[in-house]
Amino acid sequence: ENRLLHVFTTRRYDKLWEVNSVEEFQEVFLDCVECHYLAYWKGYVLHRDLSENNLMVWRPRRGGTVGSPGSTSPSSHARAFGILNDWDMATHIAQYSGVASVVTMVTNDPSPEVDALKNRTGTVPFMALDLLTDDGPTPRHLYRHDLESFLWILIWAAVHYDIPNKRNLSAIPGKIDKELKIWDQGTREEVWACKRALLRRVSGGSSRCSNDGDRTDVLDRVRPEFQKLKSEWIIPLIHLFYRAYNELRYTDVDEETCGGIVTFATFMAALKRTPRLATSSSEDGWGSCIIV
């Protein structure tokens, strides 16, 4: 793809692991999920490169309001907002059919934007299974693939983020989880095998990346502060995507949503959260979403 160099300046944002609590992490994460959906639904833009470094945190300055500069120091007690940034691999989708809850791209559109969706993009530890395998032609990058990236980010965070000390253990030499290290340094095929095994384990199989007897389940190494999020968010999302990939075995299934299994609505339902954009006081429904 053609890429142009641009330089711009923004506020200084915090990293995702620099939140004050897991509860705040969840609110920031939801902001990013909703921003991503609204960019897709209202702006016809698909991000295509979601990673832990693209989900960030902004706190309004003391004495300021959302969108205003305020004072020079951020308040640790201010409501934290999720920031979805790094859109350099994003693609504009020219046409849609369908409705907002299940947006479907017009596949016979010959525009360059549609051709770009066939290029394999993403950060490997967080890429969807479909985009990791070399079997068959390169698949189109779909909205559900980005939703799946949010799941892998959650698992990565739950294992590596030391929230009380605001540290990302994966960034410290020697501290990256032994199994997730394969996600980061393995081949695409090895990463695919690890992730596929994890989805299968939740349904009674094995989640191990290899036959090594000393490997334990990556979900057993979720940090103490993330245990509730593991049971309430991670496990339901694993079930959701496992069902979706099983559905794809049938040739007549809609690949955009795996037969309606993976949409923004079903993703939010798995989290047991009502989309806040639907009740936003903002006239255009953007609410607290911030895109950089």
Side-chain angles (χ1 to χ4, degrees), residues 63-95:
T65 58
V66 175
S68 69
S71 71
T72 58
S73 59
S75 170
S76 62
H77 302 293
R79 197 287 204 200
F81 293 87
I83 303 290
L84 188 57
N85 75 343
D86 195 2
W87 293 79
D88 60 325
M89 297 304 296
T91 292
H92 182 266
I93 309 301
Q95 298 183 49

Side-chain angles (χ1 to χ4, degrees), residues 128-152:
L129 289 178
D130 277 348
L131 304 177
L132 290 169
T133 179
D134 287 326
D135 292 342
T138 302
R140 287 186 298 119
H141 196 126
L142 304 172
Y143 173 73
R144 67 173 171 85
H145 292 143
D146 275 10
L147 284 182
E148 187 179 333
S149 290
F150 279 118
L151 165 61
W152 304 125

Side-chain angles (χ1 to χ4, degrees), residues 136-196:
T138 302
R140 287 186 298 119
H141 196 126
L142 304 172
Y143 173 73
R144 67 173 171 85
H145 292 143
D146 275 10
L147 284 182
E148 187 179 333
S149 290
F150 279 118
L151 165 61
W152 304 125
I153 291 170
L154 276 179
I155 295 172
W156 186 273
V159 173
H160 288 130
Y161 289 4
D162 177 5
I163 298 298
N165 296 302
K166 300 183 185 297
R167 298 189 306 167
N168 179 0
L169 299 181
S170 70
I172 300 174
K175 293 290 188 179
I176 188 171
D177 179 81
K178 60 183 179 181
E179 190 161 316
L180 297 187
K181 186 176 182 179
I182 298 177
W183 293 19
D184 186 49
Q185 300 178 14
T187 65
R188 286 205 311 267
E189 291 75 16
E190 290 171 335
V191 178
W192 178 90
C194 278
K195 291 179 175 180
R196 177 60 177 166

Side-chain angles (χ1 to χ4, degrees), residues 95-111:
Q95 298 183 49
Y96 290 113
S97 63
V99 296
S101 59
V102 183
V103 184
T104 305
M105 188 178 69
V106 176
T107 55
N108 61 359
D109 181 1
S111 68

Side-chain angles (χ1 to χ4, degrees), residues 6 9 43 57 65 72 82 100 105 127 138 148 180 183 215 218 236 238 242 248 275-276 291:
H6 297 275
T9 60
V57 184
T65 58
T72 58
M105 188 178 69
M127 286 173 66
T138 302
E148 187 179 333
L180 297 187
W183 293 19
R215 287 197 182 277
V218 65
I238 288 176
Y242 181 78
L248 284 178
R276 295 167 299 174
I291 297 175

Side-chain angles (χ1 to χ4, degrees), residues 34 37-38 41 264 274-280 282 284-287 289:
E34 293 196 326
Y37 174 64
L38 284 167
W41 170 30
F264 171 72
T274 300
R276 295 167 299 174
L277 59 92
T279 58
S280 168
S282 174
D284 62 4
W286 285 82
C289 294

